[in-house]
Amino acid sequence: MCQHRWETRADFLDDPQIKLNGYKADFERLEHGLFLFTHHRSGCNSTLAIEVSDFRDLYTGVVYPDRKRGGSDCPLYCQDENQLNRCEAFCECAYVREIISIISSKSPGN
């Protein structure tokens, strides 16, 4: 809404007025899930939805082949868009939770 532009992803993540405040999972195609960021700038406070795929390269670890969603070791974090904690399940979805952790560590607004 405020028309602010960031030249690079690093500029975006380094902006103290940007806060990651949610994740909307896409269980059909995880890379199409959405990270929800709010731009806490006077007169703005807009939420931006950016696909997981735009941040995929930040994570270089293991991606588990099986989805554990709803199983006994699943804390159901991906079903709560406000839940940004790491997931300890050996689940295909866990890599997204790791990206959330990486973004949170890079972004001063978090």
Side-chain angles (χ1 to χ4, degrees), residues 45-56:
N45 290 311
S46 295
T47 297
L48 299 87
I50 303 175
E51 284 192 354
V52 167
S53 61
D54 291 325
F55 295 90
R56 176 62 180 92

Side-chain angles (χ1 to χ4, degrees), residues 83-102:
Q83 176 56 261
L84 300 177
N85 288 337
R86 275 190 162 123
C87 181
E88 300 297 325
F90 296 108
C91 173
E92 176 189 24
C93 303
Y95 88 89
V96 177
R97 314 304 299 182
E98 291 302 313
I99 294 172
I100 290 170
S101 179
I102 292 166

Side-chain angles (χ1 to χ4, degrees), residues 8-72:
T8 66
R9 180 178 66 191
D11 291 342
F12 178 78
L13 293 177
D14 288 342
D15 186 336
Q17 295 177 324
I18 290 292
K19 180 173 178 20
L20 175 62
N21 59 342
Y23 164 61
K24 178 80 172 133
D26 181 328
F27 292 109
E28 296 298 316
R29 298 188 62 188
L30 294 176
E31 68 276 8
H32 291 294
L34 298 172
F35 292 132
L36 306 173
F37 296 88
T38 300
H39 188 209
H40 293 282
R41 181 178 182 183
S42 180
C44 185
N45 290 311
S46 295
T47 297
L48 299 87
I50 303 175
E51 284 192 354
V52 167
S53 61
D54 291 325
F55 295 90
R56 176 62 180 92
D57 64 305
L58 294 176
Y59 179 69
T60 58
V62 174
V63 177
Y64 302 106
D66 300 319
R67 190 165 301 164
K68 306 291 185 179
R69 180 177 170 217
S72 61

Side-chain angles (χ1 to χ4, degrees), residues 74-85:
C74 176
L76 301 174
Y77 290 165
C78 292
Q79 293 181 355
D80 178 355
E81 75 178 42
N82 298 310
Q83 176 56 261
L84 300 177
N85 288 337

